[in-house]
Amino acid sequence: MKLAVALLLLELLALANIKIGYCNGSAYIGCIQSEREALLRFKQDLKDPANRLALWSDGNCCTWAGVVCNDSTGHVLELHYKDETSKLIGKINPSLLDLKHLVYLELSNNNFEKAQLPVFLGSMGSLRHIDLSRAEFTGMIPYQLGNLSNLQYLDLSSQIPLSFLYLENFSWLSGLSLLKHLDLTGVDLSTASDWFLVTNMLPSLQVLKLSACSLHNSLPELPIANFSSLYTLDLSPIPDGLQNLTSLEHLDLRSNNFISSIPTWLHKFTRLEYLSLRGNRLEGQISSVVGNLSSTIKSLNLDYSEVQGKIPTSIARLCNLRSISIIGVKLSQDISQIIDIFSGCVSDVIEIVDLRDNKLSNQLINELGQFKSLQGLLLGDNMISGHIPSSLGKLSSLQAVSLSNNKLNGTLSEIHFANLTSLLAFYVSGNSLTLKVSPDWVPPFKKIKSLDLGSCNLGPQFPSWINSLEHLLYLDMSNSGILGTIPSSLSEATQLESVDLNSNSLSGPIPFIPFNIRLLDLSNNALAGSLFHFLCSERNEAKHSMEFLILANNSLSGELPDCWMNLQHLSVLKLGNNAFTGALPASMGSLTSLHSLQLDHNNLSGPIPASLQNCAKLVVFDIAWIGEKLLIMILRLRTNKFHGHIPAELCRLTSLHILDLSHNNFSGTIPRCINNVTAMMNQSNSMETDLEYYTFSIHFIIRFIENVLVVMKGRELEYNTMLKLVRCMDLSGNNLSGDIPEEMTNLVALQSLNLSHNFLTGKIPENVGAMRSLESIDFSGNLLSGRIPQSISSLTFLSHLNLSDNNLTGKIPLGTQLQGFNASCFAGNNLCGAPLPKNCTDQNVPIPAENENGGEDEDEMGYWLYVSTAFGFVVGFWCVIGPLLINRRW
């Protein structure tokens, strides 16, 4: 498993604030009855997992969560529900029309289930503020919103890249003369060719955000004329005349993917405080950006912008610089040099330094302690070496530290954390560090939420100081040399959302762990016993938050318990390489959110429950119902005890890239319909993206990239990021009989085919050479007969071949690849010719006189063809030239 955690800096550097409005202490008792009833009808159409609307029932509606009323009249003025951790689910009831005095509506970051934006909002004429961002609406934005003449703030932005909203034109916006803030980020505006003309004429507009809106198809040619009040501009493309907006304070040009030289007119923006050129293909040096910036700049972002060079010394003059982010630019610079550059006036004000994923080298120096205002130090994924300086512990303002995946070594001690009382996130995995603290150490970072100590030496005991971190959400202590049992204290840490303890030496049973954890990885340990008490505890019956459960490569045993209905949000389940027995329980069919199910290398048997066809989202699995509803890409049942025939329904899995049924007890023939698996026939039909899954929290994103062990070329290899390019079929180690279907040769995109150690008979398909993508073939240990087809020599990518231990006869076809293989690849047959030492003229080597079509063997035919051609040439030559030679006139 590859697990990547992306820091959400804004949330890490400022505790999440959930905006809930209340009546402001007025002595007014009782709200308007009709408006109270309207709110109750609004509530009826919503599911509320966090139960935040539970008090919306009795009493004064002005005291309800999210409701703000007028002190004098009792009319509802504002309605808020924005919660990063628990979303409302359902639809917006038209009862809101009865809130005649509503001026503020915020329902962002909820789940309105791909519904249309309500048209009736255009009739709520008092509205001044609408925020429905990231609320999973779909369809066209209703033009009726143009009737809201009092509107000042409109945010309909979508979660990039999951936008479902679009807009055909901007004409309806022209009447919103009071509009100050417009955010349509992620909305499809590719056909809205009038966007510039309309927004340019909005007299009050101050903030315009149209990033990632596909505006590149409709760029205006006119220069920018108005926008006199605009101070924040966030666009994907850069319109002509942008340089005339010299009053801009905030310029966001991120995620453009446009090819351009670095703008030379940045020096004109004398009031500029924020500049983002992130995610563009810019030509030029970093120094040309910095050299043109005004000293007013506070925040600079050049992430993934393809600029070149190093951070210049001239940045030292930007004495107001609070934040600098240059990720993934490959600076190839000495980190100590960068610290020196920032050591002037910048050191007094700099708050965030984010230089992840570059090629920074050398050692961190003790001068790091001079940055007293530093809140974020993010230097992960570089080549920084040496020890972490003790001066890190002096930075009392520090909230986020990322030093993961460098070449750091040495010891972390209590002095490194002495004054880090503000710390919220600490990432140092992927180094060679050892943490040494006293047994009774109490960490000063009481409010920490994310702690990543993967690959650090923490053992041998489970660190007891973890118990004091009452706000911890994310914990990674993988590969940390921890021995013994999992402490029961983990059961009480109900706030935890992600726990990764993989690749340690943990033993004993799995204790009770609350299912509010979203990710639990205990793989690659020595855990033993049953899963019953872990999965079927009554204490977990009401908890349904777990999304990733990784318990592979342990010594867990017994039958799988039948209580999977307690984990209805589970997306990835990995239980491979254990000692589970018995059949799959029917309750697994309740895992309707499951994408990946892996149970390989166990002792499972019995029928596959039909209830698994309810798992319609399955993409990767080792055991699953073979049904036409599923868009399966990977199917592995490797190394179990399943028996019976391979079902013909398997041919319905047209998206299948990897099929591994090896080392079971399957019998019967290979289905001839196998050529219906179109993903193995079309070389361009590869997975569009990596198989990856996400879960979101306030302070981090858990990114899980699928990994699968695939036997290729005789070796078991692990694929993750390259998994989308792999296509293979492994049916080896079963009791299959009959011939190899000729239809299988239609699978021209297949890279590896392993049918070894079965009881297959007949001949190798004559057209096997049509499978031009094959890199590996293993037909060994069967009862195949006849000759090796000549077409196999045309497989130019073939680098692994094993045809040993069959009944094959005749001469090995000539071909560069075939003669380059070891003789053992053809042993145990009655074959002759290179690379075997046996010459085909030796006695007792049968060379078939006829092929299956009744004609002569290809090699013999080729010989006589050459002889007859030569004879024909000689005869033809003398028939024509002979008479001319004896003709004296000629």
Side-chain angles (χ1 to χ4, degrees), residues 63-187:
T63 64
W64 293 353
V67 178
V68 177
C69 295
N70 184 290
D71 293 346
S72 305
T73 65
H75 286 299
V76 175
L77 298 180
E78 301 183 15
L79 182 59
H80 304 254
Y81 194 105
K82 177 183 180 181
D83 192 334
E84 300 291 341
T85 59
S86 180
K87 299 183 177 186
L88 294 175
I89 303 171
K91 65 179 181 179
I92 298 180
N93 193 294
S95 64
L96 293 185
L97 283 169
D98 291 334
L99 305 179
K100 306 290 187 185
H101 299 269
L102 193 70
V103 297
Y104 195 107
L105 178 63
E106 181 178 27
L107 297 173
S108 63
N109 203 50
N110 289 294
N111 181 4
F112 293 108
E113 300 182 315
K114 308 297 186 295
Q116 299 278 327
L117 273 165
V119 174
F120 68 78
L121 290 177
S123 301
M124 301 179 68
S126 297
L127 280 173
R128 300 175 189 170
H129 183 112
I130 297 178
D131 187 350
L132 299 176
S133 60
R134 302 179 305 281
E136 300 194 34
F137 287 105
T138 190
M140 188 174 74
I141 297 174
Y143 65 86
Q144 288 85 352
L145 294 180
N147 298 330
L148 303 177
S149 57
N150 292 310
L151 199 62
Q152 300 177 16
Y153 186 104
L154 179 60
D155 188 347
L156 302 177
S157 58
S158 296
Q159 184 73 43
I160 300 173
L162 302 177
S163 174
F164 299 101
L165 289 171
Y166 69 92
L167 192 60
E168 292 183 346
N169 63 72
F170 271 62
S171 59
W172 57 275
L173 276 165
S174 58
L176 303 183
S177 59
L178 300 180
L179 193 64
K180 297 179 179 179
H181 183 111
L182 177 61
D183 190 346
L184 299 178
T185 299
V187 176

Side-chain angles (χ1 to χ4, degrees), residues 551-593:
L551 302 175
N553 301 312
N554 280 286
S555 299
L556 300 168
S557 59
E559 295 188 355
L560 294 174
D562 197 10
C563 53
W564 294 94
M565 68 288 294
N566 292 343
L567 292 168
Q568 293 182 6
H569 292 287
L570 204 61
S571 177
V572 174
L573 175 60
K574 292 195 173 189
L575 301 176
N577 263 325
N578 281 286
F580 294 117
T581 58
L584 299 182
S587 63
M588 275 193 164
S590 64
L591 302 177
T592 54
S593 298

Side-chain angles (χ1 to χ4, degrees), residues 4-38:
V5 179
L7 295 175
L8 301 183
L9 288 178
L10 294 178
E11 288 79 7
L12 282 171
L13 301 177
L15 289 174
N17 293 316
I18 300 173
K19 296 181 180 179
I20 303 295
Y22 295 92
C23 192
N24 61 7
S26 168
Y28 182 84
I29 53 174
C31 59
I32 307 300
Q33 182 63 23
S34 61
E35 296 184 1
R36 180 179 180 277
E37 293 174 355

Side-chain angles (χ1 to χ4, degrees), residues 548 571-572 595-596 620 691-695 702-704 706:
F548 306 92
S571 177
V572 174
H595 286 80
S596 175
V620 178
L691 292 175
E692 54 189 25
Y693 320 104
Y694 296 86
T695 183
I702 297 174
R703 178 181 178 224
F704 179 91
E706 189 62 66

Side-chain angles (χ1 to χ4, degrees), residues 517-519 545-549 569-572 694-696:
I517 287 180
R518 297 188 182 189
L519 180 144
S545 298
M546 190 173 289
E547 299 177 38
F548 306 92
L549 179 57
H569 292 287
L570 204 61
S571 177
V572 174
Y694 296 86
T695 183
F696 299 87

